[in-house]
Amino acid sequence: MLATLKGANAVLMFILELGVLASVAYWGFTVSPNWAIKLLAGLGGPALFIAVWALFGAGGGANATIPLTGIARAVLEIVWFGGGAFFLYAAGRAAPAAVFALVFVVNAVLRILWKQV
């Protein structure tokens, strides 16, 4: 049973990762009435987040170019997932931002308790 819950928590983290990208893209496409800025922010924002995650966080660090561990990894996750919540909030979606942040905190606590980090 615990193995199933751990697997579900890992899947949840992946869904949260995709949620960060969706949040940044959503913000980008709502940030301005100018279509050039919308395209730049809506596509460029997620591209920047993808680059950072690929460099430092992919696959729990196992697939990252420069894997981070310990406090550095914790800071990366807080900035990455906090960024997802922040950009939802910045796009005027306060309730979904709060839910996103809460789900991340629960996921992170469970990953620490179950030694999935």
Side-chain angles (χ1 to χ4, degrees), residues 14-105:
F14 179 68
I15 292 168
L16 286 168
E17 291 172 12
L18 295 177
V20 168
L21 299 177
S23 298
V24 175
Y26 180 78
W27 166 81
F29 284 112
T30 61
V31 72
S32 170
N34 182 316
W35 270 100
I37 293 173
K38 283 183 179 193
L39 285 175
L40 181 63
L43 299 175
L48 179 63
F49 268 66
I50 288 168
V52 169
W53 195 250
L55 281 173
F56 303 111
N63 299 330
T65 305
I66 306 166
L68 299 179
T69 58
I71 296 297
R73 173 67 188 203
V75 169
L76 172 67
E77 286 192 16
I78 290 167
V79 170
W80 170 270
F81 294 105
F86 170 79
F87 282 106
L88 272 176
Y89 182 80
R93 302 293 183 201
V99 170
F100 189 90
L102 178 64
V103 171
F104 164 66
V105 169

Side-chain angles (χ1 to χ4, degrees), residues 2 5-6 8-10 12 103-117:
L2 185 58
L5 292 174
K6 286 182 177 183
N9 200 46
L12 177 59
V103 171
F104 164 66
V105 169
V106 169
N107 175 263
V109 168
L110 290 175
R111 285 186 297 117
I112 290 167
L113 290 175
W114 291 338
K115 299 187 184 350
Q116 290 181 293
V117 290

